[in-house]
Amino acid sequence: MTDMLSRSLSGLSEGPVPPQSLDAERAVLSACLLGAEAIGRAVEKIDSSVFYRPAHQKIFDACISLYNRNERADLITVTEELRMRGELESAGGPAALAQLLESATTTANVEEHVRIVASKAVLRQLIRASQEIQGECFSGSDETQNILDRSEQKIFAITDSRVRQGFVTLKDLLKPTFKHIQELYERKVFVTGVPSGYDDLDKMTAGFQAGDLIIIAGRPAMGKCLAAHTLIDDPDTGARVTLEECVRRQMTRVMGIDDRGRVRAAPISAWVDSGEQPTYRVITRTGREVEVTGHHPFLTVHGWQPLHDLPVGSKIAVARSLPVFGSDESWSLERVRLLAYFIAEGGLTSRCPNFTNTDPVIVSDFHECIEREFPSTHTRLQDSRGITWRVSRKRNWPEEIADRVHPVTDWLDKLGLMGKKSDSKSFPAEVWCWSRERLVEFLKTLFSCDGTICSMWGDPRIEFTVASRSLAFDVQHALCRLGVVAKLWRKTDRSWRVEITEPASVDCYQHEVGWIGEKATRFSDASPARLPVRARHSNVGHPSADAWELVSAAASRSGVTITELASRAGEALKRGHNLHRNRGITRTRLTAFAEASGDPDLGRAASPDLYWDEILSIEPAGTQQVYDLSVPDGANFVAADVCVHNTSLAVNMGENAAIRHKVPVAIFSLEMSKEQLAMRLLCSQSEVALHKVRSGFLGHEDWPRLTTGAGLLSQAPIMIDDSASPTILEIRAKCRRLKAENRLGLVLIDYLQLVRSAGAAENRVQEISQITRGLKALAKELAVPIIALSQLSRAVDSRAGNERRPQLSDLRESGSIEQDSDLVMFVFREEYYKRDDPSLRGKAELIVAKQRNGPTGEIDMTFLHEFTKFVPGSNLMPGETEPGF
């Protein structure tokens, strides 16, 4: 802390002297110079930052260093310590230390002096925080809500530096302890803490006790993963890597979509290796392919739905535009075009590469690129038709004697292309790291060789046909980076076609990419390709007819009819106008409805970054190595151009405590949005199938259940915070505020690995250790139980038979999770490993593996997938089950 705080906001050059007590500071330091006992009493309460004078801070630090080394602090030793640190002169020199010692009388009142010094430091922190808040308010550089949030954080952060509590004698503790035991005897109830709602568990634990840190662990993303070879894009470099490589490298960011349906880069918080699992190949109408496990969620107009709930014909969101580009501009545009020429029309299986084309402009450009980039080579005709050119080395070239390597062959070989036949070509990895300009140049050259633009009922149609499936997929993805929607399909047994027919995408290609040679002359500026996009409509890529349910819900929330909402959206309605609600709704029309109602669900469905693609087939893809990513901001990411998503028992416990016993529950939902969690709670309490609520196909008997469940939940003291990746300090501040308002009895955190530590950590193990210590300290401070979900390592899956039962050593990333917790429970579902055994359907087991103050054991449970609900005992109900916790 500096000698002077920032100048007063009133504009005076010198403000009032900040609160301080130099006499109390000197008294504390002089007491420390008299004996180690005073240092020990002081260090329990304060650190050097509470001293007002920097010189006093240095002297106190020196005393603490000596104390930690079990060395006596006196005038000579402190002087030498400061001299070794190079701080003796800045601390005032030996004279200042001698003056402190001369004024020393006794150490008896050191604790009172420490209290005065600490209280003045808190006042100075409050002044500094208030000045910073005033500065932000006067500047008005941010939204009011953001300023208010930061102001609150500043004030609550000051409480972290308050005086710490010291020891209490056993004598003082015995009386309240005995009184508490007497109350328990008179009540004669087995639950003395917060009830979980599961009698067998409550009998074993006596409820969740105040101050306890409880860990509920299970396999992460169980049943919600993608195949290892799935391709994703690195927003920082433009590189396209497999999901396995992403996990191995622990890539920091990935592309995803926000709550408004807009594509943007988001940070990755966890990289999950889920072992080998059965997978399914999902193919869409535009030719996108992604291989996932059966329960992996996809984005629909009604939100995220698992694959097993999506029939063929469902529409899911894929990226219309994925603006990921690298920064590599080391390649000249001539070399970029040359690479495209060899991929499109090159013969690469002989010793010298060749090129075949009939367009004179393209052939001329190819010759010029060879001459510029590889001057030691030349082109010559190879066939009598005059369309194939061979690239050979020039004779008597000066460097030929020293280097007999063919430069073009060597270049193509290093790119992994030499020797490839036409049906096995693909983009070299370097292409994805290029800048936008070079990717556009590359695509323009490819399409000018292997593509065409023609008329389809008077409108332009762009086609690209090749023998290589990999090359076709690469082209489709490259177009997606430019915002061009293209369909990929198998034309014949030996050819694949990428075609662009959507008017907006054709127009985008013509404006952004273009052609070389004769094809550039087709469709002049007066042609349909140059007409405004609004003049030519598309009938693909729009949300399904289910989106009308969103419109109906938005109108209801706005207190108007759908017809009135349509009028507000600018539609010219006549008497008896038919809205055609049995048909799909265009994105443009849905956007107007979203703007008129301000409804976020409509806004996401109408996002210009999303293309609603129809599922054509879902087929088994075998057992494969699978991975998943945890992306707190939005809980999703884009893989293979498809939007894919990344808690049930802990939530059920909180639900039971709040509804049955009116215990105020705070839920930090780090992985699931508050809307998704609210829907899950409603389905759980009402016992109405979640997929029925999401799809809207509710029966008459479902509505009374939903109404009753909503009534119970509305009276339950449950608070939800879905902030992405909060720090321990943020969680602490929010919980303190609820505790001060007498609105906190239980805290749930879903899940531990998504919490961030407040300070720097050398590695992930240390960071998790800081988090668990912080949560345990918070539980003790607020005297409430904290339940945190945690991940188990994949070592569980690698074991066989009964050995798959989780153990304490399986807790992921840090042994401190076990060390700091008071109660550790595992969710074990053998059905996940033995899917063909009908006797295991719905069976679950809650394993109490550690209890600091009680027994351990196993408790039988049943998981009802349809209601995302755990119930006591092993009674089974019909219906599918979903692995998870």
Side-chain angles (χ1 to χ4, degrees):
M1 189 172 292
T2 59
D3 276 336
M4 296 297 293
L5 294 173
S6 58
R7 69 177 58 185
S8 172
L9 292 170
S10 63
L12 298 176
S13 59
E14 293 185 3
V17 177
Q20 39 79 27
S21 176
L22 297 181
D23 289 339
E25 291 185 11
R26 283 191 286 266
V28 171
L29 294 176
S30 62
C32 290
L33 292 174
L34 286 178
E37 179 188 358
I39 300 177
R41 289 153 65 186
V43 78
E44 287 184 8
K45 308 289 185 180
I46 60 173
D47 57 30
S48 62
S49 65
V50 304
F51 290 88
Y52 176 67
R53 293 192 59 193
H56 291 170
Q57 295 177 10
K58 293 180 174 64
I59 294 172
F60 189 76
D61 277 336
C63 292
I64 297 301
S65 295
L66 293 168
Y67 179 78
N68 289 337
R69 299 199 300 265
N70 291 324
E71 297 178 15
R72 182 178 178 81
D74 55 25
L75 178 62
I76 296 175
T77 57
V78 172
T79 299
E80 287 303 311
E81 178 68 20
L82 288 169
R83 181 177 286 112
M84 287 182 5
R85 292 168 170 236
E87 297 176 346
L88 182 59
E89 296 304 321
S90 59
L97 293 173
Q99 188 176 5
L100 282 175
L101 196 58
E102 288 176 2
S103 62
T105 55
T106 179
T107 64
N109 295 328
V110 66
E111 291 179 344
E112 182 63 23
H113 297 154
V114 164
R115 186 193 64 78
I116 295 172
V117 171
S119 66
K120 300 297 184 183
V122 170
L123 294 176
R124 293 197 299 274
Q125 291 176 42
L126 284 170
I127 292 173
R128 183 181 295 278
S130 64
Q131 288 179 335
E132 292 175 354
I133 293 169
Q134 279 185 313
E136 288 199 63
C137 293
F138 280 120
S139 67
S141 58
D142 202 349
E143 294 287 340
T144 301
Q145 187 59 41
N146 294 337
I147 295 176
L148 182 63
D149 184 62
R150 287 195 295 272
S151 301
E152 186 179 78
Q153 289 182 10
K154 288 183 174 68
I155 298 300
F156 274 107
I158 295 173
T159 63
D160 291 332
S161 61
R162 71 185 187 281
V163 176
R164 289 163 285 183
Q165 183 177 351
F167 289 104
V168 178
T169 64
L170 180 60
K171 177 182 178 181
D172 294 332
L173 291 173
L174 286 177
K175 185 176 180 180
T177 301
F178 191 84
K179 182 179 179 181
H180 179 62
I181 294 173
Q182 186 175 1
E183 291 175 352
L184 296 177
Y185 171 76
E186 292 173 354
R187 287 164 53 192
K188 289 184 173 59
V189 294
F190 60 78
V191 179
T192 60
V194 176
S196 69
Y198 302 100
D199 289 347
D200 290 341
L201 177 62
D202 288 336
K203 288 177 182 177
M204 185 177 292
T205 63
F208 299 136
Q209 303 299 312
D212 279 3
L213 174 60
I214 299 113
I215 301 295
I216 301 179
R219 282 290 292 125
M222 188 175 280
K224 301 179 181 178
C225 311
L226 296 96
H229 59 77
T230 306
L231 291 173
I232 59 175
D233 301 272
D234 186 341
D236 299 319
T237 65
R240 206 167 191 218
V241 301
T242 64
L243 186 54
E244 183 174 36
E245 177 67 9
C246 169
V247 172
R248 188 185 66 79
R249 287 168 37 192
Q250 295 201 346
M251 204 166 78
T252 58
R253 297 200 304 163
V254 70
M255 299 301 292
I257 61 171
D258 61 19
D259 292 337
R260 298 176 302 160
R262 304 307 295 260
V263 173
R264 81 285 183 265
I268 301 172
S269 64
W271 303 262
V272 181
D273 181 344
S274 295
E276 294 186 354
Q277 297 186 32
T279 59
Y280 298 85
R281 182 178 299 107
V282 179
I283 303 177
T284 68
R285 184 167 293 280
T286 61
R288 264 86 172 187
E289 287 189 16
V290 63
E291 294 177 358
V292 300
T293 50
H295 298 282
H296 204 98
F298 292 85
L299 181 60
T300 71
V301 292
H302 291 294
W304 297 97
Q305 295 192 30
L307 179 61
H308 62 64
D309 285 346
L310 295 176
V312 170
S314 301
K315 284 195 173 184
I316 60 174
V318 302
R320 174 182 289 273
S321 175
L322 201 63
V324 179
F325 303 99
S327 57
D328 182 12
E329 295 192 343
S330 60
W331 288 46
S332 67
L333 294 179
E334 288 80 8
R335 183 163 290 223
V336 167
R337 292 200 301 275
L338 197 59
L339 176 63
Y341 285 139
F342 280 120
I343 290 177
E345 305 276 27
L348 309 180
T349 56
S350 59
R351 187 170 58 90
C352 295
N354 56 61
F355 174 73
T356 303
N357 198 277
T358 58
D359 189 307
V361 176
I362 291 177
V363 172
S364 174
D365 184 59
F366 173 77
H367 293 327
E368 292 176 6
C369 290
I370 286 290
E371 181 64 27
R372 175 184 170 91
E373 295 298 315
F374 298 96
S376 64
T377 65
H378 67 111
T379 56
R380 59 186 178 85
L381 279 173
Q382 184 172 337
D383 65 340
S384 58
R385 296 178 297 168
I387 62 172
T388 299
W389 300 82
R390 182 184 180 90
V391 182
S392 305
R393 290 177 298 181
K394 291 180 180 178
R395 294 185 177 181
N396 302 321
W397 183 258
E399 295 180 359
E400 187 179 8
I401 299 175
D403 186 4
R404 302 291 298 179
V405 176
H406 192 302
V408 178
T409 300
D410 183 56
W411 172 59
L412 292 171
D413 186 57
K414 289 178 179 177
L415 292 172
L417 289 171
M418 203 61 201
K420 291 286 183 70
K421 295 182 179 180
S422 60
D423 61 356
S424 58
K425 293 179 181 178
S426 60
F427 285 14
E430 289 80 355
V431 171
W432 303 118
C433 299
W434 285 344
S435 63
R436 190 181 194 279
E437 178 189 18
R438 277 152 179 76
L439 183 61
V440 166
E441 190 77 6
F442 183 69
L443 283 176
K444 177 170 66 176
T445 309
L446 278 178
F447 271 76
S448 298
C449 292
D450 277 340
T452 186
I453 179 168
C454 55
S455 175
M456 181 179 67
W457 299 302
D459 287 334
R461 172 194 187 98
I462 299 173
E463 298 176 350
F464 179 86
T465 306
V466 288
S468 170
R469 179 176 181 270
S470 298
L471 180 57
F473 272 104
D474 285 344
V475 168
Q476 184 189 39
H477 175 71
L479 290 171
C480 183
R481 289 193 175 190
L482 299 175
V484 176
V485 176
K487 178 181 178 180
L488 187 153
W489 56 286
R490 189 167 193 165
K491 184 173 181 289
T492 67
D493 289 342
R494 301 186 61 185
S495 66
W496 294 81
R497 172 169 289 177
V498 178
E499 59 187 24
I500 309 169
T501 58
E502 185 195 48
S505 293
V506 171
D507 196 76
C508 180
Y509 181 91
Q510 293 290 85
H511 279 84
E512 302 295 332
V513 185
W515 305 86
I516 300 174
E518 181 272 334
K519 293 163 190 170
T521 65
R522 303 179 190 177
F523 292 93
S524 63
D525 289 344
S527 71
R530 291 298 186 179
L531 290 178
V533 172
R534 63 178 178 274
R536 299 177 293 113
H537 300 291
S538 171
N539 62 352
V540 294
H542 303 298
S544 61
D546 292 347
W548 280 109
E549 297 174 16
L550 299 182
V551 176
S552 178
S556 178
R557 284 191 288 269
S558 300
V560 298
T561 65
I562 293 183
T563 303
E564 290 172 326
L565 183 60
S567 179
R568 291 184 182 182
E571 295 190 9
L573 304 180
K574 298 180 181 179
R575 190 184 184 103
H577 182 80
N578 187 354
L579 293 176
H580 297 291
R581 294 174 59 183
N582 59 331
R583 304 179 186 173
I585 181 170
T586 65
R587 186 178 61 81
T588 303
R589 195 179 182 194
L590 197 61
T591 300
F593 281 124
E595 292 174 351
S597 63
D599 189 84
D601 292 337
L602 285 181
R604 181 175 66 176
S607 170
D609 289 357
L610 299 182
Y611 182 94
W612 295 98
D613 209 353
E614 181 183 350
I615 296 178
L616 284 188
S617 67
I618 302 173
E619 54 191 40
T623 299
Q624 302 185 64
Q625 171 67 45
V626 293
Y627 297 92
D628 200 8
L629 304 176
S630 291
V631 184
D633 182 10
N636 69 82
F637 58 98
V638 177
D641 299 344
V642 180
C643 305
V644 292
H645 201 269
N646 317 330
T647 18
S648 181
L649 178 60
V651 173
N652 292 154
M653 290 177 176
E655 179 185 356
N656 293 332
I659 292 178
R660 298 184 188 178
H661 305 280
K662 301 302 178 184
V663 176
V665 178
I667 301 177
F668 290 89
S669 181
L670 281 63
E671 191 176 31
M672 191 183 306
S673 72
K674 54 183 178 291
E675 292 82 8
Q676 292 171 320
L677 184 56
M679 183 176 290
R680 173 167 288 193
L681 283 167
L682 180 59
C683 292
S684 171
Q685 185 61 36
S686 308
E687 294 197 349
V688 175
L690 181 60
H691 71 87
K692 294 174 68 176
V693 174
R694 283 174 169 169
S695 63
F697 291 100
L698 295 167
H700 294 295
E701 72 282 359
D702 295 326
W703 287 107
R705 294 181 182 179
L706 287 171
T707 303
T708 302
L712 290 171
L713 288 173
S714 64
Q715 300 298 319
I718 298 177
M719 292 140 290
I720 301 173
D721 184 295
D722 63 353
S723 303
S725 296
T727 64
I728 282 292
L729 292 180
E730 292 168 350
I731 293 175
R732 185 182 301 159
K734 293 174 181 178
C735 289
R736 281 173 177 162
R737 186 168 58 206
L738 291 176
K739 186 69 174 180
E741 298 170 354
N742 199 28
R743 293 197 299 154
L744 188 68
L746 175 67
V747 178
L748 300 179
I749 299 176
D750 179 17
Y751 57 88
L752 180 68
Q753 278 77 11
L754 292 182
V755 179
R756 292 184 294 119
S757 62
E762 293 182 4
N763 51 53
R764 182 62 175 164
V765 172
Q766 288 189 6
E767 184 178 19
I768 293 295
S769 299
Q770 292 176 9
I771 293 168
T772 55
R773 286 196 300 270
L775 291 177
K776 175 58 182 175
L778 181 61
K780 289 180 61 179
E781 175 190 338
L782 302 182
V784 297
I786 294 180
I787 301 177
L789 271 65
S790 180
Q791 295 178 343
L792 289 176
S793 72
R794 66 161 302 199
V796 177
D797 293 337
S798 64
R799 299 196 290 261
N802 291 331
E803 295 180 359
R804 288 197 177 107
R805 296 170 63 82
Q807 307 166 7
L808 289 172
S809 59
D810 294 323
L811 286 170
R812 187 176 174 189
E813 295 182 315
S814 178
S816 64
I817 298 177
E818 174 192 351
Q819 175 182 322
D820 295 329
S821 61
D822 299 279
L823 178 63
V824 178
M825 296 181 286
F826 298 122
V827 178
F828 177 61
R829 303 194 59 227
E830 192 175 4
E831 176 198 8
Y832 174 71
Y833 303 104
K834 299 178 180 179
R835 297 177 183 270
D836 297 331
D837 188 346
S839 65
L840 299 176
R841 184 173 293 264
K843 282 189 176 181
E845 195 174 341
L846 185 61
I847 303 172
V848 179
K850 173 189 175 180
Q851 186 175 190
R852 199 183 300 275
N853 301 304
T856 59
E858 296 80 30
I859 299 169
D860 289 333
M861 308 281 282
T862 298
F863 180 65
L864 309 178
H865 159 64
E866 288 189 344
F867 314 132
T868 61
K869 184 176 185 177
F870 280 88
V871 296
S874 57
N875 297 324
L876 299 179
M877 292 184 64
E880 292 183 336
T881 57
E882 178 184 25
F885 66 94

